Amino acid sequence: MEYLIRNARKEDMGQVLKLVQELADFENEPKAVEVTQADLEKDGFGENKLFHCFVAEVADEIVGIALVYPRYSTWKGPVIHLEDLIVAEKMRGSGLGTALLDEVVKYGHGLGVKRICWEVLDWNDPAIEFYEKKGANVLRDWDVVQLDEKGIENYMEDLD
């Protein structure tokens, strides 16, 4: 199979959003995606770029993405966060996940980051096995903590 891993372009964001929705469906959260194509175009390609995205392309179709953004660790210094590594269901097992992760690692290395971090659902055994095979540490004793939009609003109300 011939494929191309490249930096995403603004005009790719419609196909990127379809893959994001495919992931949400896989994770049993089909109504969770609120971001729009316009949001992705603005946030990934504007003056204040918030993320960097790689795409995997096969026969002019985007069948995988890896989306990263910068973070800072008070213990380590500059890091990047891999928000999503998505390979279309029909392409899983083809090597595209490895090719995308390779690109993320090269990107992070080029930036001089001290760590690349991401989350994986504890029930997604194929993904966990994939990451561990690549040498990643799955920190099972850490819990993800989030304050969602409603939680932020409630918090702000409590400050008044």
Side-chain angles (χ1 to χ4, degrees):
M1 172 189 61
E2 290 200 24
Y3 62 85
L4 172 66
I5 306 296
R6 61 172 174 79
N7 293 321
R9 298 185 291 255
K10 195 173 192 176
E11 57 268 22
D12 297 329
M13 292 302 103
Q15 291 182 73
V16 166
L17 184 56
K18 286 179 186 173
L19 285 171
V20 169
Q21 185 60 56
E22 184 178 320
L23 177 64
D25 294 344
F26 172 77
E27 293 182 354
N28 300 312
E29 293 282 348
K31 297 185 190 280
V33 178
E34 296 177 11
V35 71
T36 66
Q37 180 177 337
D39 292 332
L40 292 170
E41 290 171 357
K42 174 182 64 75
D43 295 339
F45 302 91
E47 189 172 311
N48 297 313
K49 185 175 168 180
L50 299 178
F51 65 83
H52 186 84
C53 184
F54 299 98
V55 296
E57 190 175 56
V58 174
D60 296 323
E61 180 186 4
I62 294 173
V63 293
I65 71 159
L67 190 144
V68 299
Y69 59 87
R71 288 176 54 180
Y72 192 84
S73 166
T74 57
W75 287 12
K76 302 293 181 189
V79 300
I80 57 172
H81 183 84
L82 173 59
E83 180 64 19
D84 281 320
L85 176 69
I86 307 169
V87 175
E89 186 175 9
K90 66 183 179 182
M91 300 302 294
R92 292 188 190 138
S94 67
L96 289 177
T98 294
L100 285 163
L101 187 58
D102 290 352
E103 205 61 35
V104 168
V105 173
K106 289 189 286 188
Y107 177 75
H109 184 263
L111 294 174
V113 300
K114 303 295 183 183
R115 181 174 65 211
I116 300 169
C117 54
W118 64 95
E119 289 92 27
V120 62
L121 290 168
D122 61 359
W123 55 260
N124 193 346
D125 292 330
I128 291 169
E129 290 171 22
F130 170 77
Y131 295 136
E132 287 179 332
K133 237 171 36 174
K134 299 297 181 191
N137 298 316
V138 178
L139 305 176
R140 297 176 193 273
D141 55 344
W142 285 75
D143 290 324
V144 175
V145 179
Q146 295 180 337
L147 196 55
D148 64 12
E149 191 173 21
K150 180 66 175 157
I152 294 168
E153 290 303 320
N154 291 341
Y155 194 107
M156 292 301 297
E157 288 175 15
D158 291 344
L159 290 178
D160 294 336

